Amino acid sequence: MKRLYGLIGILVLFLGFAFVHGRQQDHAQQQAVPTVGILQLLSHPALDAIHKGIIHGLAEEGYHVGKNVKIDFQNAQNDQSNLKTMSARFVNENAAAMIGIATPSAQALANASSKIPVVLGAITDPKGAKLVKDNQRPGNNVTGVSDQAPLAAQLDLMRKIMPDLKTVGIIYTSSDDSATAQYHQFVTICKKARITLKAYSIANTNDLNQVAQQMVNEVQAIYVPTDNTVASAMQTLVATANAKKVPVFPAVDTMVKAGGLATLSINQYRLGVETGKMTAAILKGKNPATTPIHFERTGEMTVNLTAAKKLGITLPASVLKEAQAHGEVFK
Ligand code: TRP
């Protein structure tokens, strides 16, 4: 009898230990699920596509939302004070990594922490925006993916579609670092190509209609850089331009889908995928300081046939063929 009690006693002890041990393991697993904070500046089709791509890229590298990674997604609705509070929130919840979609988001995150890795989600000019010391050797807790568009090739495409092109207007938001960086590059590119470039800057979407009205009377074609404000109001610009039969050539595919005529575009979704993959590598221990910025150099031919029809433009056969074979055709 004594022996039986003894055995029961040992069994109870053992079960108790197993229970406590199991709970400890659960706890460890809970803590081991890293939080990734994603801060998106505002909603427009390009940034939304990048966000989707990020989730896909994380999954491709083994991080599945709700399973072994927690995503805290915040949309700042283009508001500076939101950017600040949302960045502080990620730091408070001890995020394992933070991703900034668009330059102001990345800047807010980098200001909020010099320790937590910050991954740039499609930032045009990381060095110019003072996010990294050097694109090859970022040096601090910040690295990521750049969406720098192939501007010279895009101007070449405009001239191919409009052989008589002499005067181009560029529209951009003066406070948008991404757009102004491209504006400065475009000035040099147009000079070299002996194209007259007229600049039209806006402060916000309220200006867009009036500035567009003036612009369409003064230029043969409109170029739109990766400008977050214009990207969120493409319809306004396109309606005004189409009414005057002035083609709009945007920097990216999502803006062609929104009514622009054509471009050689970096695929926005794929930028997100690359950002997600880089974030996964950092979660696995890669050091941002020594991880070079990833650039996607080659663009895909992207055309909008409805826009061409509205403008009365016949796209060169080679352009259309290339878009059908390797790019995107929107109807
Ligand atoms: N590059 C922009 C920035 O740094 C963000 C961006 C990515 C974007 N893709 C875009 C803006 C397309 C306008 C259109 O802020």
Side-chain angles (χ1 to χ4, degrees):
M1 201 56 177
K2 254 191 183 167
R3 254 181 87 183
L4 188 61
Y5 278 137
L7 268 175
I8 290 175
I10 287 170
L11 195 68
V12 166
L13 259 176
F14 176 76
L15 285 176
F17 174 75
F19 178 73
V20 169
H21 186 68
R23 295 245 321 203
Q24 272 173 350
Q25 248 180 2
D26 280 356
H27 190 64
Q29 259 166 15
Q30 259 169 25
Q31 285 214 321
V33 172
T35 296
V36 173
I38 304 180
L39 183 54
Q40 182 171 324
L41 177 64
L42 78 166
S43 266
H44 62 67
L47 302 191
D48 294 344
I50 292 163
H51 172 208
K52 273 199 194 131
I54 289 171
I55 303 298
H56 188 113
L58 279 166
E60 260 185 44
E61 296 300 321
Y63 286 98
H64 300 277
V65 179
K67 277 194 184 147
N68 55 352
V69 68
K70 187 181 162 228
I71 299 292
D72 185 359
F73 176 77
Q74 299 288 326
N75 185 327
Q77 317 283 358
N78 212 10
D79 181 298
Q80 273 297 332
S81 70
N82 281 349
L83 288 173
K84 232 180 153 177
T85 43
M86 289 165 177
S87 302
R89 171 194 163 96
F90 294 161
V91 174
N92 280 338
E93 65 190 356
N94 200 15
M98 313 192 280
I99 303 175
I101 307 179
T103 304
S105 315
Q107 286 169 331
L109 294 174
N111 283 335
S113 174
S114 54
K115 288 199 190 81
I116 301 174
V118 173
V119 186
L120 309 177
I123 305 308
T124 302
D125 186 3
K127 196 173 168 210
K130 300 204 165 59
L131 285 158
V132 297
K133 288 188 193 124
D134 183 273
N135 290 334
Q136 280 309 305
R137 275 189 79 87
N140 285 319
N141 60 326
V142 183
T143 188
V145 175
S146 170
D147 65 323
Q148 175 59 56
L151 300 190
Q154 290 181 341
L155 181 65
D156 285 347
L157 174 64
M158 292 168 73
R159 302 181 82 186
K160 201 166 182 181
I161 294 172
M162 302 177 73
D164 296 328
L165 187 62
K166 287 186 187 70
T167 310
V168 175
I170 181 170
I171 185 157
Y172 66 97
T173 308
S174 42
S175 60
D176 189 311
D177 282 346
S178 166
T180 49
Q182 292 187 334
Y183 160 64
H184 290 300
Q185 288 168 9
F186 211 60
V187 167
T188 313
I189 289 166
C190 286
K191 219 177 240 166
K192 254 194 205 154
R194 296 181 193 282
I195 294 280
T196 304
L197 182 67
K198 294 190 172 173
Y200 300 82
S201 74
I202 59 171
N204 51 49
T205 32
N206 297 338
D207 296 350
L208 185 58
N209 195 30
Q210 200 194 338
V211 171
Q213 295 283 357
Q214 182 197 345
M215 191 176 193
V216 294
N217 289 316
E218 299 172 351
V219 301
Q220 288 171 280
I222 295 171
Y223 180 76
V224 188
T226 47
D227 185 297
N228 290 296
T229 303
V230 182
S232 69
M234 272 298 282
Q235 280 73 11
T236 308
L237 176 63
V238 167
T240 308
N242 280 351
K244 272 273 175 178
K245 300 228 181 305
V246 176
V248 175
F249 293 93
V252 301
D253 49 2
T254 48
M255 290 157 115
V256 170
K257 190 178 182 192
L261 177 60
T263 194
L264 269 170
S265 170
I266 310 279
N267 186 301
Q268 301 297 294
Y269 181 78
R270 207 153 53 234
L271 283 171
V273 173
E274 289 302 329
T275 306
K277 283 183 170 178
M278 198 183 273
T279 306
I282 286 167
L283 290 176
K284 289 173 190 169
K286 206 163 182 192
N287 181 2
T290 51
T291 305
I293 300 289
H294 175 95
F295 286 90
E296 295 266 325
R297 290 266 180 216
T298 49
E300 289 170 4
M301 189 67 79
T302 310
V303 301
N304 184 326
L305 296 183
T306 306
K309 205 167 164 195
K310 280 188 185 154
L311 293 161
I313 285 184
T314 311
L315 293 168
S318 60
V319 169
L320 197 55
K321 246 192 180 163
E322 173 64 21
Q324 279 160 345
H326 307 291
E328 282 179 289
V329 180
F330 294 112
K331 290 189 180 137

